């Protein structure tokens, strides 16, 4: 099987602050984009990254010397559009697709390999899941608690998410609403999605706090 990764990296990263798109921010001296590509590179045959307009040259520079061939496309206004555009740039030979957020640079390669292995073993769609440690409540617009949700049935979902290519293309082709992950589009087709254990290090860089945490984790690895 030929495996490719799509890295949606076209977000602005407003919640992180600053003028540089989030994927091009540095974590301990290396862009989130490069770290996220490196996290998947040993499990895939090629990578397509989707970046904001005018960031293609910077992306090519960031990806020089990566462990597998990379291609760069301009992403869209939403994450879903960015993944859709990248799907159209995949080589015809690709039959398994991973979608991995550029905003998750520290996902351990072992989780990536487990996602690929689950697709190889026959799953049409695979997502890494981690337990939800906090109590979860639903609230109204004023912040008043409506209910406490039973967290034993809840997991938080990370990336990379792995798919049979035909399934992911069909899911994106018929998508009627904007979803925050690709598995939701597959679920909408009624196709089963399975989980593999995720990892806390696969957290999404969203706020300045997350940058501090990522740099501390990288420092503790050396
Ligand atoms: O904004 P958020 O962190 O949820 O975005 C998740 C991933 O989707 C990020 O890697 C971001 O760069 C990407 N994205 C994208 N195109 C957009 C918006 C987000 O590729 N228009």
């Amino acid at each position: 099987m030929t495996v490719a990764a799509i890295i949606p990296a076209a977000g602005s990263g407003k919640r992180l602050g600053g003028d540089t798109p989030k994927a091009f921010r540095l974590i301990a001296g290396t862009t989130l984009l490069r770290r996220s590509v490196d996290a998947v590179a040993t499990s895939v045959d090629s990578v397509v990254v989707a970046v904001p307009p005018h960031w293609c040259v910077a992306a090519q520079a960031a990806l020089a010397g990566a462990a597998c061939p990379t291609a760069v496309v301009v992403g869209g206004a939403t994450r879903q559009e960015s993944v859709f555009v990248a799907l159209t740039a995949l080589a015809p030979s690709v039959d398994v697709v991973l979608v991995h957020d550029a905003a998750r640079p520290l996902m351990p390669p072992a989780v990536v390999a487990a996602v690929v292995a689950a697709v190889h073993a026959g799953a049409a769609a695979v997502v890494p899941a981690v337990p939800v440690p906090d109590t979860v409540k639903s609230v109204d617009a004023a912040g008043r608690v409506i209910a406490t949700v039973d967290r034993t049935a809840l997991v938080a979902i990370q990336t990379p998410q792995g798919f049979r290519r035909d399934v992911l293309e069909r899911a994106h082709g018929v998508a009627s609403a904007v979803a925050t992950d690709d598995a939701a589009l597959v679920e909408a087709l009624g196709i089963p999605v399975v989980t593999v254990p995720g990892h806390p290090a696969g957290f999404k860089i969203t706020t300045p706090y997350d940058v501090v945490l990522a740099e501390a984790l990288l420092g503790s690895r050396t």
Side-chain angles (χ1 to χ4, degrees):
M1 279 187 172
T2 303
V3 185
I6 286 173
I7 311 278
S12 61
K14 280 197 188 79
R15 287 166 292 184
L16 196 52
D19 291 333
T20 306
K22 180 161 65 178
F24 293 88
R25 299 287 290 270
L26 301 179
I27 299 279
T30 301
T31 59
L32 269 75
L33 176 62
R34 178 57 186 261
R35 289 190 184 278
S36 297
V37 168
D38 288 349
V40 300
T42 53
S43 291
V44 304
D45 301 293
S46 61
V47 173
V48 178
V49 305
V51 300
H54 314 301
W55 285 85
C56 291
V57 172
Q60 278 152 0
L63 298 176
C68 70
T70 58
V72 179
V73 297
V74 174
T78 63
R79 180 188 183 282
Q80 191 169 319
E81 274 182 42
S82 295
V83 173
F84 183 80
V85 173
L87 266 175
T88 64
L90 292 177
S93 57
V94 171
D95 32 33
V96 175
V97 182
L98 303 187
V99 183
H100 183 49
D101 290 332
R104 298 182 188 270
L106 303 188
M107 179 54 90
V111 175
V112 182
V115 170
V116 173
V119 181
H120 280 168
V126 183
V127 295
V130 289
V132 178
D134 296 316
T135 297
V136 179
K137 297 183 192 291
S138 55
V139 294
D140 66 14
R144 280 183 297 255
V145 170
I146 297 168
T148 301
V149 182
D150 176 12
R151 74 174 179 204
T152 58
L154 295 180
V155 287
I157 298 301
Q158 304 176 316
T159 72
Q161 301 187 348
F163 305 93
R164 261 181 25 217
R165 178 186 184 159
D166 61 313
V167 166
L168 186 61
E169 286 182 336
R170 189 146 53 94
H172 273 268
V174 301
S176 54
V178 175
T180 54
D181 77 347
D182 301 279
L185 302 178
V186 172
E187 291 157 43
L189 295 179
I191 294 173
V193 176
V194 302
T195 62
V196 296
H199 194 286
F203 69 98
K204 187 162 71 169
I205 306 272
T206 307
T207 66
Y209 171 86
D210 299 324
V211 174
V212 174
L213 179 58
E215 291 192 326
L217 284 169
L218 284 165
S220 71
R221 281 183 192 176
T222 54

